[in-house]
């Protein structure tokens, strides 16, 4: 279930970061790294260790904070990407969400869901020494031998929800699914309060804390998400829905590119329209249905051989014609009220998070009660 970037027209509007006409002007303001990252130190603090993953938006490495003097409580990772406007926007949005939601990410007895943390961020120049011409003792930096990269240092998380879904073959209790929905609703409310829409809900972007027992998660029958926090990551497709100066809600616009996960995206997003808070909540509804149906969102199943553009059309057409009964039946029939509310919101509407939360809590509590053994009376 990868995220997709599909162009409606032939010309992409993704803007590349301006490398400056003379890259040598920024020497001294950035760390300079030669050839490879592993084993190098950034900001006189972060020792880059082994490579972990080459994701959709950058490379991820394990990193050690040398200033912690061996007392680093949580493992850290560093995400590195060639500097683009989009990556700088991702970092900026995560910092703003973090500042807004700091108190909500503190440890509590109950799992409420967590937005991401950024421990630090910065930029460096990666130099290809093979294409480097040395003149005296100075470096002659050009676009051919030097690239500006940005990075952010974050906590390392545990297993993804996608991995757990695969390990459990899609088997989750109803109470677990509703509890996950409550956590994600809390997370989206926090992101929206900071003025952003997430736009990329998928199982790969939902991770457990690093200290959670993965083996226990694979086998436990009780409510998995009652005491285990879910962390949301990857803000690469996040966008503001408020004007940054006036704080007025932005108007709906037509886009040239679809960015997001096709399975969980709203019809509005699939039509290449700009998104608002309601679109995240519609994605949440689709994800809950997907989990109840063990990975089969009604009307959206495609063969592995299906071309991505054809798959996009199939999913968009299915959502265009779906009724509430098409998706709220069998074990999802109780979601009808939740579905009707999130689909009723207009582009600028402020969602009633509290009412949506009450609906999910009520459904979770009903399922929890069913799981409890009956008590006999004498």
């Amino acid at each position: 279930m990868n995220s997709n970037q599909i162009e409606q027209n032939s010309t992409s509007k993704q803007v590349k970061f301006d490398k400056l006409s003379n890259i040598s002007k920024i020497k001294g303001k950035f760390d300079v790294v030669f050839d490879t990252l592993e084993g190098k130190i950034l900001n006189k603090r972060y020792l880059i260790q082994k490579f972990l993953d080459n994701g959709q938006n950058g490379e991820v490495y394990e990193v050690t904070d040398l200033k912690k003097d061996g007392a680093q409580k949580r493992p850290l990772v560093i995400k590195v990407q060639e500097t683009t406007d989009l990556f700088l926007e991702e970092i900026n949005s995560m910092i703003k969400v973090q500042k807004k939601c700091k108190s909500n990410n503190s440890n509590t007895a109950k799992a409420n869901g967590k937005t991401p943390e950024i421990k630090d961020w910065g930029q460096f120049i990666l130099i290809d020494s093979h294409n480097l011409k040395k003149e005296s003792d100075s470096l002659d930096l050009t676009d051919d031998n030097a690239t500006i990269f940005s990075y952010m240092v974050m906590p390392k998380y545990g297993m993804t929800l996608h991995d757990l879904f695969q390990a459990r073959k899609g088997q989750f209790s109803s109470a677990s699914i509703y509890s996950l929905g409550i956590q994600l609703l809390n997370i989206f409310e926090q992101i929206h309060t900071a003025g952003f829409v997430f736009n990329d809900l998928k199982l790969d972007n939902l991770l457990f804390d690093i200290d959670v027992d993965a083996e226990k998660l694979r086998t436990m029958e009780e409510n998995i998400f009652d005491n285990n926090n879910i962390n949301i990551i990857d803000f690469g497709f996040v966008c503001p829905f408020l004007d940054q100066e006036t704080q007025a809600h932005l108007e709906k616009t037509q886009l040239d590119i679809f960015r997001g996960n096709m399975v969980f995206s709203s019809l509005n997003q699939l039509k290449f329209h700009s998104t608002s808070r309601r679109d995240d909540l519609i994605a949440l509804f689709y994800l809950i249905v997907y989990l109840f149906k063990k990975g089969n969102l009604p009307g959206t199943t495609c063969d592995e051989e299906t071309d991505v553009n054809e798959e996009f059309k199939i999913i968009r057409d299915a959502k265009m014609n779906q009724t509430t009964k098409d998706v709220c039946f069998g074990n999802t029939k109780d979601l009808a009220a939740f579905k009707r509310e999130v689909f009723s919101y207009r582009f600028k509407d402020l969602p009633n998070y509290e009412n949506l939360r009450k609906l999910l809590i009520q459904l979770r509590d009903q399922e929890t009660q069913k799981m409890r053994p009956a008590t006999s009376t004498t």
Side-chain angles (χ1 to χ4, degrees):
M1 283 197 310
N2 295 326
S3 298
N4 300 96
Q5 180 168 293
I6 296 175
E7 296 186 23
Q8 181 168 238
N9 302 314
S10 58
T11 304
S12 169
K13 284 191 177 179
Q14 182 173 351
V15 181
K16 200 72 172 175
F17 180 77
D18 183 3
K19 286 189 176 181
L20 306 178
S21 58
N22 186 358
I23 198 170
S24 62
K25 288 181 180 179
I26 62 173
K27 279 194 303 181
K29 299 180 182 179
F30 292 68
D31 288 312
V32 175
V33 177
F34 287 89
D35 299 324
T36 61
L37 285 176
E38 290 177 325
K40 307 297 171 50
I41 297 174
L42 294 178
N43 197 24
K44 299 180 181 180
R45 178 170 185 171
Y46 301 109
L47 173 61
I48 301 178
Q49 298 187 342
K50 70 176 182 178
F51 172 81
L52 293 177
D53 183 41
N54 190 2
Q56 180 170 309
N57 297 306
E59 295 181 342
V60 180
Y61 297 80
E62 280 188 353
V63 67
T64 298
D65 186 351
L66 299 177
K67 287 193 176 182
K68 293 294 184 180
D69 297 323
Q72 184 171 301
K73 293 183 178 180
R74 297 178 64 182
L76 299 175
V77 296
I78 187 167
K79 182 178 179 180
V80 176
Q81 183 176 319
E82 184 176 346
T83 300
T84 62
D85 287 342
L86 285 177
F87 192 49
L88 294 178
E89 289 170 8
E90 176 181 356
I91 294 173
N92 181 57
S93 64
M94 290 177 70
I95 290 172
K96 288 185 176 181
V97 170
Q98 179 172 313
K99 287 180 179 178
K100 198 79 174 179
C101 308
K102 193 171 184 180
S103 61
N104 295 321
N105 280 344
S106 59
N107 292 326
T108 58
K110 281 282 185 181
N112 293 313
K114 294 181 181 179
T115 52
E117 300 176 54
I118 294 185
K119 299 296 184 183
D120 204 351
W121 77 279
Q123 293 179 300
F124 64 92
I125 302 174
L126 183 65
I127 297 175
D128 180 0
S129 62
H130 301 291
N131 293 326
L132 187 64
K133 295 180 181 179
K134 291 194 175 182
E135 298 176 0
S136 301
D137 293 326
S138 64
L139 293 175
D140 181 22
L141 301 183
T142 68
D143 286 354
D144 292 329
N145 61 33
T147 306
I148 304 174
F149 279 81
S150 296
Y151 67 86
M152 51 184 166
V153 179
M154 302 176 291
K156 185 178 182 181
Y157 297 109
M159 75 184 306
T160 68
L161 184 54
H162 176 266
D163 289 341
L164 183 61
F165 181 86
Q166 296 294 325
R168 294 179 64 96
K169 298 181 179 179
Q171 298 285 344
F172 293 96
S173 70
S174 297
S176 291
I177 297 173
Y178 288 131
S179 289
L180 172 63
I182 294 165
Q183 286 200 45
L184 292 176
L185 180 62
N186 295 338
I187 289 171
F188 282 145
E189 183 177 12
Q190 293 174 43
I191 294 173
H192 297 167
T193 300
F196 295 94
V197 185
F198 185 66
N199 288 325
D200 195 21
L201 184 62
K202 60 179 180 179
L203 304 190
D204 282 321
N205 283 346
L206 303 174
L207 285 75
F208 291 90
D209 289 333
I210 189 66
D211 57 355
V212 171
D213 186 340
E215 189 56 40
K216 184 178 179 182
L217 289 178
R218 294 184 181 99
T219 57
M220 68 186 297
E221 296 182 5
E222 57 266 34
N223 190 332
I224 294 173
F225 302 100
D226 194 31
N227 293 302
N228 291 311
N229 270 304
I230 275 291
N231 301 271
I232 198 164
I233 65 164
D234 199 344
F235 275 45
F237 291 161
V238 164
C239 69
F241 66 88
L242 297 177
D243 184 285
Q244 299 302 293
E245 294 184 4
T246 66
Q247 293 300 296
H249 200 296
L250 297 173
E251 299 295 329
K252 183 189 285 191
T253 58
Q254 188 74 22
L255 306 176
D256 287 329
I257 297 175
F258 167 84
R259 295 191 183 99
N261 182 278
M262 293 187 291
V263 175
F264 302 135
S265 290
S266 67
L267 179 60
N268 174 69
Q269 193 172 357
L270 293 169
K271 287 183 174 181
F272 294 87
H273 294 155
S274 57
T275 55
S276 63
R277 291 167 286 194
R278 64 170 185 183
D279 296 281
D280 278 342
L281 301 181
I282 290 172
L284 171 57
F285 166 76
Y286 283 134
L287 183 138
I288 294 174
V289 173
Y290 179 92
L291 292 177
F292 268 110
K293 302 300 183 184
K294 298 179 175 58
N296 178 23
L297 188 64
T300 65
T301 304
C302 299
D303 297 332
E304 291 184 3
E305 296 80 15
T306 305
D307 172 80
V308 65
N309 291 299
E310 180 62 23
E311 182 180 4
F312 182 89
K313 185 177 183 301
I314 290 171
I315 293 173
R316 184 182 59 188
D317 290 349
K319 291 182 177 180
M320 195 177 300
N321 298 308
Q322 274 177 347
T323 66
T324 298
K325 290 183 178 180
D326 290 331
V327 285
C328 297
F329 63 92
N331 60 356
T332 56
K333 67 180 187 301
D334 292 335
L335 282 166
F338 186 91
K339 192 258 185 189
R340 281 193 293 269
E341 177 151 347
V342 296
F343 276 73
S344 71
Y345 294 137
R346 294 167 298 182
F347 184 72
K348 294 184 180 182
D349 284 350
L350 171 65
N352 188 335
Y353 299 101
E354 190 57 36
N355 189 54
L356 293 172
R357 195 160 24 245
K358 286 179 180 178
L359 288 172
L360 293 178
I361 289 173
Q362 182 180 19
L363 293 172
R364 179 203 61 192
D365 291 347
Q366 288 175 358
E367 294 301 324
T368 301
Q369 188 63 37
K370 292 177 185 178
M371 295 171 64
R372 290 174 180 160
T375 55
S376 60
T377 57
T378 57

